[in-house]
Amino acid sequence: MAIGLWFGLKLAPVLWFFGLWILLFMLFCSACFYGVRRSRFGAEFWMNAMVTTIILIGPAVADSANGKDVYQAFAIRFLLFLTVTLYAGAAVHVLEHLRKRWVKSDAQSGVLPC
């Protein structure tokens, strides 16, 4: 969604269009979030999509105002976002595996978990 919003801003990079594009994307997500528009994804997905869009597009606009290379900064930010997501997923997987081993060893020893 952030990439789509960014390409929408390329049509006319002015503050009014930025506000209108943000409003359009957030209305779309909100309609899916509240069930006005049917979607196969749940409300949590659409809330996360809204937050992720703001996280990714906000600094990109600030980079363009400062004269930095927007595409390089966006690519780095997006890769960092993906890296953190993969790390969090791996950490949850490892912790769930350790928890299952711990519960299984407690059940075999006769100790009941709290």
Side-chain angles (χ1 to χ4, degrees):
M1 287 183 57
I3 293 171
L5 197 144
W6 184 257
F7 283 118
L9 274 175
K10 288 178 82 172
L11 296 175
V14 294
L15 185 60
W16 284 101
F17 269 90
F18 176 71
L20 290 174
W21 279 114
I22 289 286
L23 178 67
L24 179 71
F25 275 76
M26 293 306 126
L27 282 174
F28 174 77
C29 287
S30 297
C32 296
F33 178 77
Y34 287 110
V36 174
R37 183 180 177 279
R38 288 201 178 267
S39 172
R40 65 181 175 153
F41 301 110
E44 299 85 19
F45 173 82
W46 292 107
M47 178 60 75
N48 290 334
M50 285 191 280
V51 171
T52 303
T53 300
I54 297 298
I55 288 172
L56 290 175
I57 202 69
V61 171
D63 290 340
S64 66
N66 294 333
K68 295 180 182 177
D69 183 18
V70 180
Y71 295 108
Q72 179 185 11
F74 183 80
I76 291 170
R77 192 174 299 109
F78 193 73
L79 286 174
L80 285 172
F81 197 79
L82 286 177
T83 303
V84 168
T85 302
L86 291 174
Y87 171 75
V92 167
H93 180 72
V94 168
L95 290 173
E96 279 293 316
H97 178 71
L98 290 174
R99 186 187 65 82
K100 287 178 183 176
R101 277 187 33 198
W102 180 68
V103 168
K104 184 188 284 186
S105 69
D106 282 349
Q108 289 174 352
S109 66
V111 177
L112 295 174
C114 298

Coordinates of all heavy atoms in Angstrom, one line a residue, residues 3 55-56 59-60 63 68-85:
I3 N 3.8 1.6 -1.3 CA 4.4 1.8 -2.7 C 3.3 2.4 -3.6 O 3.6 3.3 -4.4 CB 4.9 0.4 -3.2 CG1 6.1 0.0 -2.3 CG2 5.3 0.5 -4.7 CD1 6.6 -1.4 -2.6
I55 N 4.1 4.1 8.6 CA 5.5 3.9 9.0 C 6.4 4.0 7.8 O 7.5 4.6 7.9 CB 5.7 2.6 9.7 CG1 5.1 2.6 11.1 CG2 7.2 2.2 9.8 CD1 5.1 1.3 11.8
L56 N 6.0 3.5 6.6 CA 6.9 3.5 5.5 C 6.8 4.8 4.7 O 7.8 5.2 4.1 CB 6.6 2.3 4.6 CG 7.0 0.9 5.1 CD1 6.5 -0.2 4.2 CD2 8.5 0.8 5.3
P59 N 8.5 8.7 6.6 CA 9.9 9.1 6.5 C 10.3 9.3 5.0 O 11.2 10.1 4.7 CB 10.6 7.9 7.1 CG 9.7 7.3 8.0 CD 8.3 7.5 7.4
A60 N 9.6 8.6 4.1 CA 9.9 8.8 2.7 C 9.6 10.2 2.2 O 10.4 10.9 1.5 CB 9.2 7.8 1.8
D63 N 12.3 12.4 3.7 CA 13.5 12.3 2.9 C 13.5 13.1 1.7 O 14.5 13.8 1.3 CB 13.8 10.8 2.5 CG 14.2 9.9 3.7 OD1 14.6 10.5 4.7 OD2 14.0 8.7 3.6
K68 N 17.2 14.0 0.1 CA 18.0 12.8 0.0 C 17.4 11.9 -1.1 O 16.4 12.2 -1.7 CB 17.8 12.0 1.3 CG 18.4 12.7 2.5 CD 18.2 11.8 3.8 CE 18.8 12.5 5.0 NZ 18.5 11.7 6.2
D69 N 18.2 10.8 -1.5 CA 17.7 9.9 -2.5 C 16.5 9.1 -1.9 O 16.7 8.2 -1.0 CB 18.8 9.0 -2.9 CG 18.4 8.0 -4.0 OD1 17.4 8.3 -4.7 OD2 19.1 7.0 -4.3
V70 N 15.4 9.3 -2.3 CA 14.1 8.8 -1.8 C 14.1 7.3 -2.0 O 13.7 6.5 -1.1 CB 12.9 9.5 -2.3 CG1 11.6 8.9 -1.7 CG2 13.0 10.9 -2.1
Y71 N 14.4 6.8 -3.2 CA 14.3 5.4 -3.5 C 15.3 4.6 -2.7 O 15.0 3.5 -2.3 CB 14.5 5.2 -5.0 CG 13.4 5.8 -5.8 CD1 13.6 7.0 -6.5 CD2 12.1 5.3 -5.8 CE1 12.6 7.6 -7.2 CE2 11.1 5.9 -6.5 CZ 11.3 7.1 -7.2 OH 10.3 7.7 -7.9
Q72 N 16.5 5.0 -2.6 CA 17.5 4.3 -1.8 C 17.1 4.2 -0.3 O 17.1 3.2 0.3 CB 18.9 5.0 -1.9 CG 19.9 4.2 -1.0 CD 21.3 5.0 -1.1 OE1 21.3 6.1 -1.5 NE2 22.3 4.3 -0.6
A73 N 16.6 5.4 0.2 CA 16.1 5.4 1.6 C 14.9 4.5 1.8 O 14.8 3.8 2.8 CB 15.8 6.8 2.1
F74 N 14.0 4.5 0.9 CA 12.8 3.6 1.0 C 13.2 2.1 0.9 O 12.7 1.3 1.6 CB 11.8 4.0 -0.1 CG 10.6 3.2 -0.1 CD1 9.6 3.5 0.8 CD2 10.3 2.0 -0.8 CE1 8.4 2.8 0.9 CE2 9.2 1.3 -0.7 CZ 8.2 1.7 0.1
A75 N 14.2 1.8 0.0 CA 14.6 0.4 -0.1 C 15.3 0.0 1.2 O 15.0 -1.2 1.6 CB 15.6 0.3 -1.3
I76 N 16.1 0.8 1.7 CA 16.8 0.4 3.0 C 15.7 0.3 4.1 O 15.8 -0.7 4.9 CB 17.8 1.5 3.4 CG1 19.0 1.4 2.4 CG2 18.3 1.3 4.8 CD1 20.0 2.5 2.5
R77 N 14.8 1.2 4.2 CA 13.8 1.1 5.2 C 12.9 -0.1 5.0 O 12.6 -0.8 6.0 CB 12.9 2.4 5.2 CG 12.0 2.6 6.3 CD 11.3 3.9 6.3 NE 12.2 5.0 6.3 CZ 12.5 5.8 5.3 NH1 11.9 5.7 4.1 NH2 13.4 6.8 5.4
F78 N 12.5 -0.4 3.8 CA 11.7 -1.6 3.5 C 12.5 -2.9 3.9 O 11.9 -3.8 4.5 CB 11.3 -1.6 2.1 CG 10.2 -2.6 1.8 CD1 8.9 -2.3 2.2 CD2 10.4 -3.7 1.0 CE1 7.9 -3.2 1.9 CE2 9.4 -4.6 0.8 CZ 8.1 -4.3 1.2
L79 N 13.8 -3.0 3.5 CA 14.5 -4.2 3.8 C 14.7 -4.3 5.3 O 14.7 -5.4 5.9 CB 15.9 -4.1 3.1 CG 15.9 -4.4 1.6 CD1 17.2 -4.1 1.0 CD2 15.4 -5.8 1.4
L80 N 14.9 -3.2 6.1 CA 15.0 -3.3 7.5 C 13.7 -3.8 8.1 O 13.6 -4.6 9.0 CB 15.4 -1.9 8.1 CG 16.8 -1.5 7.9 CD1 17.0 -0.1 8.4 CD2 17.7 -2.4 8.7
F81 N 12.6 -3.3 7.6 CA 11.2 -3.7 8.0 C 11.1 -5.2 7.8 O 10.6 -5.9 8.7 CB 10.2 -2.9 7.3 CG 8.8 -3.0 7.9 CD1 8.5 -2.2 9.0 CD2 7.9 -3.8 7.4 CE1 7.3 -2.2 9.6 CE2 6.6 -3.8 8.0 CZ 6.3 -3.0 9.1
L82 N 11.4 -5.7 6.6 CA 11.3 -7.1 6.4 C 12.3 -8.0 7.2 O 11.9 -9.0 7.7 CB 11.7 -7.4 4.9 CG 10.6 -7.0 3.9 CD1 11.1 -7.3 2.5 CD2 9.3 -7.8 4.2
T83 N 13.5 -7.4 7.5 CA 14.4 -8.1 8.3 C 13.9 -8.3 9.8 O 14.0 -9.3 10.4 CB 15.8 -7.4 8.4 OG1 16.2 -7.3 7.0 CG2 16.8 -8.1 9.2
V84 N 13.4 -7.2 10.3 CA 12.8 -7.2 11.6 C 11.6 -8.2 11.7 O 11.4 -8.9 12.7 CB 12.4 -5.8 12.1 CG1 11.6 -5.8 13.4 CG2 13.6 -5.0 12.3
T85 N 10.8 -8.2 10.6 CA 9.6 -9.1 10.6 C 10.1 -10.6 10.6 O 9.5 -11.4 11.3 CB 8.8 -8.8 9.4 OG1 8.4 -7.4 9.4 CG2 7.6 -9.7 9.3

